[in-house]
Amino acid sequence: MLIETDKRLALQAYEQILNLVLSGQAKPGMMITERRLAETLNMSRTPIRDALLMLEGEGLLIRQGRSGLQVKQMRIEDYMDALQIRQLLEPEAARLAAGHMPPEILGALEADLKDLLHSATAPDGKPDRGSVRDVDDRLHDGIGEAAGNPQLAQIIRTLRRQTQIFDLRSIPERFEVTCQEHLDIVTALRDGRADDAADAMRQHLAHVRDSIIKRLAR
């Protein structure tokens, strides 16, 4: 029971620290220490230490000798390299996952995506970034898990963490298009159309890449 409690606390710490990084509160180049985080998150240092090790393993934090860990300054070259690998792996993961994701999970994703689209078209609509990232995580991570290869799922999760630093803040014009692309992926997965699921994922990631390139060229 104690081991399970420790694991749960470490995962809670992981999610909270990850949110600090992805939300920009912990900025690229910022030094992170166990003591400061323990005070900020009101947690003991043991789960904080375990969470930092996980984030270091995913490449979001870089160890700087005895000084502690530093939030990685993601170069655009790093981003494009990670995205290129995602383009190789995630379409195949979607192909393997087609017909194997639980209908209730896909149904919830479809409903949430439609809600996000509706919120964006409302007069005072402004999609909540936390909700956007939650849906994105549930879809892409769910595909990785449903593909039936735990190592593939972990590799994809790690790559996504690295590319999430460049999220929809960088390309806000992609919001509605991204939601529609995700809906296309969900539909193909639900119908068990493996080739269509792979094609939809491939097109989605290619459009993300093209949008980033277009933004950089401005």
Side-chain angles (χ1 to χ4, degrees), residues 16-214:
Q16 291 185 63
I17 299 169
L18 177 65
N19 186 61
L20 291 175
V21 173
L22 296 181
S23 67
Q25 295 179 64
K27 299 183 183 300
M30 178 179 174
M31 296 302 299
I32 288 183
T33 65
E34 292 177 18
R35 179 182 59 79
R36 190 181 304 162
L37 280 172
E39 294 172 355
T40 301
L41 302 179
N42 194 27
M43 300 180 73
S44 70
R45 292 178 67 166
T46 298
I48 295 290
R49 185 180 304 119
D50 292 341
L52 291 176
L53 286 172
M54 287 191 284
L55 288 163
E56 182 184 5
E58 291 183 349
L60 289 185
L61 301 178
I62 306 296
R63 188 164 297 279
Q64 299 292 342
R66 295 182 179 180
S67 301
L69 291 161
Q70 183 180 49
V71 179
K72 182 174 181 178
Q73 300 190 42
M74 177 71 83
R75 302 177 308 140
I76 191 61
E77 292 86 358
D78 297 329
Y79 172 87
M80 298 304 288
D81 287 347
L83 186 59
Q84 183 180 42
I85 300 172
R86 286 184 62 189
Q87 288 180 275
L88 294 173
L89 297 181
E90 289 197 64
E92 183 58 26
R95 184 191 308 279
L96 294 171
H100 297 290
M101 284 184 72
E104 61 272 18
I105 290 179
L106 292 172
L109 282 168
E110 183 176 36
D112 289 343
L113 284 164
K114 289 180 178 178
D115 284 345
L116 285 172
L117 279 171
H118 179 72
S119 70
T121 57
D124 58 346
K126 189 175 182 180
D128 175 67
R129 286 184 56 241
S131 298
V132 172
R133 194 170 73 233
D134 175 65
V135 171
D136 193 67
D137 283 345
R138 283 158 49 206
L139 175 59
H140 287 271
D141 289 349
I143 288 172
E145 292 168 7
N149 186 321
Q151 292 189 53
L152 176 62
Q154 182 56 51
I155 292 169
I156 289 173
R157 186 176 296 111
T158 297
L159 290 167
R160 289 192 61 251
R161 289 287 181 252
Q162 294 176 22
T163 56
Q164 275 180 318
I165 292 177
F166 288 85
D167 62 8
L168 286 172
R169 286 177 303 172
S170 303
I171 43 175
E173 67 275 10
R174 281 271 311 156
F175 172 73
E176 292 182 51
V177 177
T178 293
C179 287
Q180 188 55 60
E181 289 169 358
H182 281 170
L183 281 170
D184 292 342
I185 295 170
V186 166
T187 300
L189 291 168
R190 183 186 57 215
D191 295 346
R193 292 182 281 113
D195 288 344
D196 289 343
D199 287 342
M201 179 63 77
R202 187 176 296 107
Q203 290 178 31
H204 167 58
L205 293 174
H207 291 160
V208 171
R209 178 203 61 204
D210 294 344
S211 295
I212 290 292
I213 292 173
K214 187 182 298 184

